[in-house]
Amino acid sequence: MKHRIIDLGMLYFGKFGALAVGFFLMPAYSYYLGPASFSTVAFILSLVNAAVTLDFGMSTIIGRDSSDSTISNDKKYKQFLASQFLVIFFYLSVFSIVAIYSFLFQKGDLGVKISFLSVILIMSSLIQNISVSYLNGIKEFKISGSLIFLSVTLRGVISLLVIKYIDNNIISFMSAQSIIGLLFSLIFMHYIYIFRMFSKWQCFTLTGV
């Protein structure tokens, strides 16, 4: 019972920490970016949250299947990889359409840069969200909660440091957000891969014994 409370508590801590970071850092973003740039940033971050919420049901499917003991671990992992591939393919396709439209009608590269960084941020957020659902399904609550908290905290703090000490414009802010988001997407996927390989090794060892 105690172990279960700690596990779920870490998951709650990760989710709550993500909300707290956004709540406390938003005023600082507004101060350093200025009203015009901050309004664009606020819109993009709202779009990211909406995209994560409306992920076409993939996180629900992955979370449900990963917790189903009747489905083999290999099949669970293949479904997980398929969902990540679909996310990457879909959002790169969206970016291609937006880039072509911007090139033909807006005649400026600023919009293309913002669109590209926004797509990277949305894509990495979705990859993390699906990864969290997978980890929760296999009862890795402490890992998923810890990685959520670290991802959001570092993304928020580093973005603030960039616009405070390096360059207070929207491209710098979005670059920091996108790079950290993409980095943690790779960390999530790498951990799941390592966890799967370790589980297969354990099964092989037990079968051999």
Side-chain angles (χ1 to χ4, degrees):
M1 179 68 177
K2 181 180 178 181
H3 179 70
R4 183 65 61 193
I5 290 174
I6 294 173
D7 281 354
L8 293 174
M10 284 298 296
L11 181 61
Y12 176 79
F13 175 74
K15 296 282 188 179
F16 177 78
L19 292 173
V21 167
F23 179 78
F24 286 112
L25 292 183
M26 279 296 181
Y29 294 158
S30 177
Y31 176 78
Y32 287 109
L33 288 171
S37 294
F38 177 72
S39 62
T40 304
V41 164
F43 172 75
I44 293 171
L45 294 180
S46 299
L47 192 63
V48 171
N49 291 330
V52 169
T53 304
L54 304 172
D55 62 352
F56 309 109
M58 277 193 281
S59 60
T60 303
I61 293 169
I62 295 301
R64 182 194 64 200
D65 288 354
S66 65
S67 64
D68 190 344
S69 59
T70 63
I71 301 175
S72 68
N73 288 333
D74 279 343
K75 186 175 181 180
K76 292 176 186 178
Y77 186 68
K78 287 177 182 177
Q79 286 179 322
F80 169 74
L81 290 181
S83 68
Q84 305 293 37
F85 172 78
L86 285 172
V87 166
I88 293 169
F89 177 77
F90 176 78
Y91 280 98
L92 288 181
S93 299
V94 169
F95 169 71
S96 299
I97 294 170
V98 172
I100 292 170
Y101 175 84
S102 299
F103 178 77
L104 292 176
F105 299 104
Q106 293 184 350
K107 304 299 181 183
D109 64 342
L110 181 61
V112 175
K113 288 178 181 178
I114 294 174
S115 298
F116 175 72
L117 294 171
S118 299
V119 166
I120 294 297
L121 182 56
I122 292 172
M123 185 176 70
S124 62
S125 298
L126 280 170
I127 289 172
Q128 290 181 47
N129 193 51
I130 295 170
S131 300
V132 166
S133 295
Y134 183 90
L135 289 171
N136 290 343
I138 59 176
K139 306 297 186 294
E140 288 290 304
F141 300 118
K142 282 189 283 191
I143 295 298
S144 65
S146 300
L147 287 177
I148 291 170
F149 181 78
L150 283 174
S151 173
V152 177
T153 302
L154 288 177
R155 202 173 75 202
V157 171
I158 290 174
S159 298
L160 178 60
L161 293 175
V162 166
I163 59 175
K164 182 178 180 180
Y165 294 109
I166 299 176
D167 198 358
N168 62 335
N169 62 56
I170 190 170
I171 296 297
S172 299
F173 177 86
M174 289 301 300
S175 296
Q177 289 271 314
S178 301
I179 291 169
I180 301 300
L182 196 57
L183 174 64
F184 269 91
S185 296
L186 295 174
I187 290 173
F188 268 105
M189 293 186 71
H190 182 68
Y191 177 82
I192 290 171
Y193 173 77
I194 294 298
F195 181 86
R196 173 176 174 269
M197 295 304 294
F198 179 72
S199 298
K200 288 182 72 173
W201 178 79
Q202 277 189 318
C203 290
F204 176 78
T205 304
L206 291 173
T207 303
V209 172

